[in-house]
Amino acid sequence: MKTVVCYYSRHHGNTLKVLEAMSAEGDMDLIDVTTRQSVRLEGYDCIGFASGIYGFEFQKAVVEFARQYLPQGKPVFFVYTYGGAKGTGAKAVAEIAREKDCTVLGEFSCKGYDTFGPFKLVGGIAKGHPDRQDLENARAFYRELQAQNGGE
Ligand SMILES: Cc1cc2nc3c(=O)[nH]c(=O)nc-3n(C[C@H](O)[C@H](O)[C@H](O)COP(=O)(O)O)c2cc1C
């Protein structure tokens, strides 16, 4: 199963760590949505969208990327990390997937080290996350997703 994940990960690279763990399990390309490139997603079997949670939602660049590039009818999944309050999570990007008749295969999320604003004063929250267990859970999620959708 050839997969691509379009992501935004800036705060501590937490979301990227999760994606790198998943990508060790199979054929997965990673696209940073902030880098300018010509994008063709038609050739992939499955498309993921991933982001840290900023202001209780996915980063807008990921949502706009999905609006612009997600082909009609592709299977999709979502990945995100958050400090402690996931807010609407992947809702905005899921809405776009629905508009494009894409099946949602699943969603993975876990805590991610957060030193935003006042949390910096206390040394941050969700320290050490994603940790070993989070990354193992991420790998298991992607293995399962592949197994249910025609294998590696
Ligand atoms: C500007 C900003 C806003 C954030 N807003 C939230 C939030 O609303 N809820 C939350 O749980 N975490 C919030 N966080 C913490 C991040 O979601 C968390 O650290 C995440 O793992 C960052 O992912 P990244 O390292 O891949 O960018 C925020 C962090 C930043 C920098």
Side-chain angles (χ1 to χ4, degrees), residues 25 64 67:
E25 296 294 326
E64 286 314 309
R67 201 187 305 282

Side-chain angles (χ1 to χ4, degrees), residues 2 8 10 13 16 22 35 40-42 56 60 63 72 74 97 101 107 109 118 140:
K2 194 160 173 49
Y8 180 97
R10 275 295 176 288
L16 184 56
M22 284 183 185
T35 61
R40 291 196 56 80
L41 302 182
E42 283 77 7
F56 307 108
K60 288 193 172 45
V63 180
Q72 200 79 13
K74 278 280 177 199
D101 295 321
E107 169 178 310
S109 67

Side-chain angles (χ1 to χ4, degrees), residues 34-107:
T34 65
T35 61
R36 275 284 128 228
Q37 51 198 310
S38 64
V39 178
R40 291 196 56 80
L41 302 182
E42 283 77 7
Y44 291 95
D45 303 313
C46 174
I47 301 177
F49 292 96
S51 176
I53 294 294
Y54 313 97
F56 307 108
E57 55 190 21
F58 254 50
Q59 224 281 341
K60 288 193 172 45
V62 179
V63 180
E64 286 314 309
F65 198 90
R67 201 187 305 282
Q68 193 173 352
Y69 295 113
L70 174 60
Q72 200 79 13
K74 278 280 177 199
V76 293
F77 65 99
F78 309 124
V79 176
Y80 57 92
T81 66
Y82 60 98
K86 61 175 111 171
T88 57
K91 186 162 178 269
V93 74
E95 181 67 16
I96 289 177
R98 198 183 58 76
E99 285 167 16
K100 297 193 181 209
D101 295 321
C102 297
T103 306
V104 178
L105 302 178
E107 169 178 310

